[in-house]
Amino acid sequence: MKLHTLRRAVIGTVAAAATALALTACASGAANSGATGSADDNPYGLITPGQIRVASLGDSKPYTFTDESGEFTGFDVELFTDVAHRIGIDDVVFTGQDFSGLLAAVANGQFDVGVAAIGITEERKQTVDFSDGYLAGYLTVMASPDADIADEGDLDGKRLGVVQGTLQEAYAVKNFTDTELVRFPDNNAAISAVVSGAVDAHFLDYEAAKEYAEQYGLENAIDIPSFDAPAGFAIAKGNDAFKDALNEALHEAMEDGTWKELYQKWFPGSPMPDQYLPSDEQTPTPSESPTE
Ligand code: SNW
């Protein structure tokens, strides 16, 4: 707690200095010149100017996870790092959180952004703002092949793991009413329970399920589209300068093929969605298609 107080005090000083600088800039009519401006050194209202603190997850491979040396990596991590670079920031610090506390930690200013395959929903928008979407996929029930789970009806009377605070939990509460839900803080704990037989299946993101399936001989038993809740970067409400900059950089990363490259690297063999590809690689929608 003492450390916390100290850090806040330091941040307070930095913030005061930044405000003073901004005021000086205003007075000289040069405010808000963006990342390249020399006067305004914190255009995105970051906790520490020049650094982005990211709330993430250590066990959501291949989206966000820590490798053998403890470094954060994965699709979301590499995409966000690329986007941050495009807005002039290379000092990006990822920290693992429980998913259930992640959005609150962003909303109350402990982190500048949340990056963890976080689906954009109206409910979550009450707590945080989101960048535009960057990934739309499936929610997957993963089980042992012996569990005989092939469709949603097969979950009746079964024990199903969900990570607290996820869309999977919300979907299961609403739709799997005859299933016993067992809540876990993270995927690793839930997978251990599937492997030990303490639960019959676990409900998580498609690519993470694929990863665990290979590792533990489990299978993707049911895939449920979650295209209406594409993942976005979560930021504190009202920080439009930061949001706009992230969006612009994100769309650049899509347009120049960086998004596609990362998708192929981290999700090999998965169907390539259209909407985040460079515009000249997108297939025409049916109404524009000459065959329609
Ligand atoms: O809604 C999907 C989205 O379409 C894409 O497949 C990436 O995952 C989602 O954002 C859902 N992710 C869950 C959620 O937002 C779990 C996140 C996690 O476990 N890291 O609750």
Side-chain angles (χ1 to χ4, degrees), residues 57 60 63 99 116-119 124 135-139 165-168 187 205 226-227 229-231:
L57 299 174
S60 268
Y63 306 95
F99 191 81
I118 307 167
R124 287 174 175 171
L135 194 64
Y138 296 86
L139 313 181
T166 58
L167 296 185
Q168 284 81 355
N187 283 325
D205 285 344
S226 187
F227 306 145

Side-chain angles (χ1 to χ4, degrees), residues 1-283:
M1 283 304 111
K2 263 192 189 136
L3 198 75
H4 192 227
T5 315
L6 181 66
R7 194 170 58 77
R8 284 189 75 109
V10 171
I11 290 166
T13 312
V14 172
T19 309
L21 264 177
L23 287 173
T24 316
C26 279
S28 64
N32 284 332
S33 48
T36 51
S38 53
D40 185 356
D41 73 344
N42 193 16
Y44 310 130
L46 301 172
I47 297 165
T48 304
Q51 180 189 69
I52 299 182
R53 295 174 51 109
V54 187
S56 191
L57 299 174
D59 72 339
S60 268
K61 193 178 183 182
Y63 306 95
T64 57
F65 66 104
T66 46
D67 64 18
E68 314 79 54
S69 55
E71 295 289 317
F72 275 84
T73 187
F75 175 82
D76 295 53
V77 170
E78 289 202 340
L79 179 66
F80 185 78
T81 304
D82 179 88
V83 164
H85 176 73
R86 288 173 199 261
I87 67 169
I89 298 177
D90 290 318
D91 184 3
V92 183
V93 181
F94 288 84
T95 304
Q97 294 281 300
D98 279 352
F99 191 81
S100 61
L102 213 146
L103 294 181
V106 171
N108 72 22
Q110 289 177 59
F111 294 93
D112 297 303
V113 61
V115 177
I118 307 167
I120 303 168
T121 65
E122 287 308 316
E123 197 191 342
R124 287 174 175 171
K125 280 193 199 163
Q126 320 239 316
T127 310
V128 289
D129 283 348
F130 283 97
S131 71
D132 292 337
Y134 63 82
L135 194 64
Y138 296 86
L139 313 181
T140 294
V141 174
M142 191 193 56
S144 145
D146 324 323
D148 271 340
I149 296 172
D151 58 41
E152 299 192 13
D154 294 335
L155 289 170
D156 288 358
K158 294 276 190 349
R159 286 164 64 80
L160 177 69
V162 289
V163 171
Q164 265 171 324
T166 58
L167 296 185
Q168 284 81 355
E169 180 187 28
Y171 185 94
V173 165
K174 191 163 168 226
N175 298 287
F176 303 155
T177 45
D178 294 320
T179 301
E180 186 184 342
L181 301 183
V182 183
R183 290 167 172 83
F184 292 94
D186 53 44
N187 283 325
N188 278 346
I191 297 301
S192 302
V194 177
V195 172
S196 75
V199 298
D200 297 297
H202 177 45
F203 193 20
L204 71 176
D205 285 344
Y206 174 83
E207 303 286 350
K210 227 169 103 180
E211 198 77 35
Y212 282 117
E214 275 170 36
Q215 208 178 337
Y216 294 103
L218 306 170
E219 63 178 22
N220 281 23
I222 309 169
D223 294 320
I224 297 156
S226 187
F227 306 145
D228 56 344
F233 306 132
I235 64 171
K237 275 169 109 52
N239 189 350
D240 288 349
F242 192 31
K243 184 169 78 180
D244 294 347
L246 291 177
N247 279 338
E248 195 181 323
L250 181 59
H251 289 290
E252 276 171 28
M254 290 169 180
E255 196 55 40
D256 75 5
T258 302
W259 184 95
K260 181 183 179 187
E261 201 179 296
L262 292 175
Y263 188 92
Q264 287 171 324
K265 172 180 175 183
W266 289 104
F267 310 134
S270 291
M272 176 66 74
D274 222 36
Q275 72 266 41
Y276 308 128
L277 297 179
S279 30
D280 64 359
E281 290 186 32
Q282 292 181 12
T283 47

